[in-house]
Amino acid sequence: IIIIIIMRIINDINNNTKNSFCNKAVKISNNIVITTIMATVVVMSTSSTNSFVSASSRMLPKLLFSRTTQTNHQLCFITTKTHHYHRRRRKQFFAANRQTALLSSSSSSDSSTIAMTTPKEEEEICPLLFEKLPYSGAQVKVDDNLMKEHNDDDTEFLSKLRSSLEYWKKKDYISAWLHIPVSHARLIETLTSKKSDDFDFDLHHISNNNIILKKWLVPEWSEDKIPPYATHQVGCAGFVLNDQNELLVIREWSGSPSNRLPSKQWKLPGGLLDLGESFEEATQREVYEETGIETEFESILTFWHRHDVKPFGKSDLYFVCLLKPIVNNNNTTTSVQEQQQDQHDQEQKINIDPMEVSSAKWMSIQEFVSTQDHP
């Protein structure tokens, strides 16, 4: 209040410098009165406000206390209603979203089917059905059904083969193999031609009326590492030894079929293994086919390794296996001597194959070693 009075006095003095002292005193007194009245009004209003606030602050806790129970019940009811309302709304929202998703899925089924056959994915599928071989090889077997799929059109097949070669190179295959049946041998000239860089297959071998071609797919990486076909042939012989220390031996034929004669040398029965046959199976089979003697496999005794063996000019692996003749023990004889005689008689019951063998017999080991020049 004092600051306001002083400022009013200074302001009047500056604005009324020409007035008399009395006029100044009157104005100053008037200003003091007006300012005092304004200050009194402000103080009174402030005091009434404080009294009101004080009274209100004393009454409010009582009011709140008296309404607490009723208000709590009302708030709990409102909260429960609000919870159930929002729960219903949430269920309706999710149900609506599910229906929208189903409709969207069914309406986009056609577009998803189309997306499954995009050109990008088609490039990842080999045009020709092939079989994966060991050492990163890819093999295609051409047959009548495959050619019918291409309407017997060689051009269509060759086009897919060209694309398949690019696919195999991209997928890091190092060799490609084709099995061409003799009925489709017309493809061989095109596939093995050195004039075209597209194919340039090499003949590998022929098996079961199929021409097998191969191609090395990574010449820039290394030279062709595919071995030639059938470098070795595998044979076996049966070393059949009975209880009398006798060896089963045979004689083959020599000469032409119309004028053949028994060979001079006695040898062990045997021959080449069939595809997928074990040494045990092959040796027992060869002995039975040539002599009619059933045997039991014991073990492998030894083998030799030779090269440039006729008629194929291949290397030869020949295994000698120890066999024991099987004797039928269903006899009624009681003496040991009679049993030994029956066993010997059964062992002597040789039944040769006249197409392959001229004769067969049991020969003592000493005689065989001293008279025969068997390898």
Side-chain angles (χ1 to χ4, degrees):
I1 294 171
I2 295 171
I3 293 172
I4 295 173
I5 293 171
I6 293 171
M7 290 179 66
R8 294 283 294 179
I9 293 171
I10 294 171
N11 188 34
D12 288 338
I13 292 171
N14 292 331
N15 294 329
N16 301 301
T17 53
K18 295 181 179 180
N19 295 334
S20 62
F21 178 79
C22 294
N23 292 335
K24 290 181 182 179
V26 172
K27 286 188 177 182
I28 290 172
S29 62
N30 291 337
N31 287 334
I32 291 173
V33 173
I34 294 171
T35 304
T36 303
I37 294 172
M38 292 176 62
T40 303
V41 172
V42 170
V43 170
M44 290 178 64
S45 64
T46 304
S47 176
S48 354
T49 303
N50 289 336
S51 300
F52 175 76
V53 170
S54 177
S56 299
S57 63
R58 288 193 301 269
M59 295 175 62
L60 185 59
K62 295 181 181 180
L63 180 62
L64 290 176
F65 180 79
S66 63
R67 301 286 293 178
T68 298
T69 304
Q70 183 179 359
T71 304
N72 284 343
H73 284 296
Q74 291 176 350
L75 287 175
C76 181
F77 175 74
I78 293 172
T79 303
T80 305
K81 280 191 71 175
T82 305
H83 172 72
H84 287 293
Y85 171 77
H86 285 292
R87 190 173 180 182
R88 287 198 306 272
R89 291 291 296 168
R90 204 162 45 241
K91 287 183 178 180
Q92 293 173 359
F93 174 76
F94 287 138
N97 280 355
R98 261 198 308 271
Q99 293 178 357
T100 305
L102 290 174
L103 291 174
S104 175
S105 175
S106 61
S107 63
S108 62
S109 60
D110 294 337
S111 61
S112 63
T113 304
I114 297 174
M116 291 176 62
T117 58
T118 57
K120 183 177 180 180
E121 293 185 358
E122 285 183 354
E123 291 176 0
E124 299 300 322
I125 300 175
C126 185
L128 291 176
L129 184 65
F130 71 97
E131 176 186 358
K132 185 176 181 180
L133 300 179
Y135 306 104
S136 301
Q139 175 177 270
V140 174
K141 293 185 177 181
V142 180
D143 54 19
D144 293 336
N145 293 330
L146 178 62
M147 296 307 294
K148 285 180 181 178
E149 292 178 3
H150 300 88
N151 301 319
D152 290 325
D153 186 0
D154 294 347
T155 304
E156 183 179 352
F157 168 75
L158 295 174
S159 176
K160 286 191 175 182
L161 176 59
R162 186 180 293 106
S163 300
S164 298
L165 289 171
E166 294 299 325
Y167 172 87
W168 294 328
K169 290 178 182 178
K170 180 180 178 182
K171 296 298 181 179
D172 290 333
Y173 287 87
I174 64 174
S175 65
W177 298 79
L178 293 179
H179 287 233
I180 309 295
V182 176
S183 58
H184 297 284
R186 63 182 183 275
L187 295 169
I188 301 299
E189 182 178 0
T190 303
L191 294 172
T192 59
S193 174
K194 304 299 180 182
K195 298 179 181 179
S196 174
D197 294 334
D198 291 337
F199 301 113
D200 194 18
F201 278 83
D202 295 319
L203 175 64
H204 191 259
H205 67 279
I206 298 176
S207 175
N208 298 327
N209 290 327
N210 281 283
I211 305 168
I212 290 82
L213 306 179
K214 60 93 176 176
K215 180 178 176 64
W216 188 251
L217 298 178
V218 286
E220 69 283 354
W221 178 56
S222 72
E223 62 181 4
D224 192 341
K225 298 292 185 179
I226 300 175
Y229 181 70
T231 59
H232 285 66
Q233 63 183 24
V234 183
C236 60
F239 194 90
V240 186
L241 195 64
N242 63 15
D243 291 340
Q244 283 75 38
N245 206 28
E246 294 175 330
L247 188 64
L248 181 63
V249 292
I250 63 169
R251 269 183 177 174
E252 295 178 332
W253 294 102
S254 63
S256 61
S258 60
N259 189 25
R260 61 182 184 174
L261 298 172
S263 62
K264 295 180 180 181
Q265 182 174 323
W266 292 91
K267 59 171 288 188
L268 302 178
L272 296 177
L273 274 71
D274 291 337
L275 184 65
E277 197 173 28
S278 67
F279 289 115
E280 177 181 355
E281 296 168 341
T283 311
Q284 291 175 318
R285 174 184 57 77
E286 286 288 346
V287 170
Y288 183 78
E289 288 177 356
E290 295 181 354
T291 66
I293 299 296
E294 295 183 359
T295 58
E296 181 180 353
F297 182 85
E298 294 284 340
S299 65
I300 294 177
L301 293 177
T302 186
F303 71 95
W304 72 44
H305 189 199
R306 300 180 297 172
H307 301 285
D308 197 23
V309 178
K310 296 179 180 179
F312 307 116
K314 299 295 182 181
S315 298
D316 177 64
L317 289 168
Y318 201 72
F319 291 79
V320 180
C321 302
L322 177 61
L323 303 178
K324 181 180 179 180
I326 297 175
V327 178
N328 183 10
N329 292 322
N330 295 329
N331 55 65
T332 58
T333 57
T334 55
S335 75
V336 176
Q337 184 176 1
E338 289 179 347
Q339 289 181 4
Q340 291 178 349
Q341 184 62 40
D342 288 342
Q343 178 179 348
H344 183 71
D345 291 343
Q346 289 183 35
E347 291 174 352
Q348 299 302 319
K349 293 179 180 178
I350 297 174
N351 183 19
I352 65 171
D353 179 8
M355 294 297 297
E356 295 188 22
V357 177
S358 63
S359 60
K361 69 176 184 177
W362 295 94
M363 181 184 292
S364 67
I365 293 291
Q366 294 78 8
E367 180 184 357
F368 181 77
V369 172
S370 61
T371 61
Q372 302 301 315
D373 187 20
H374 196 283

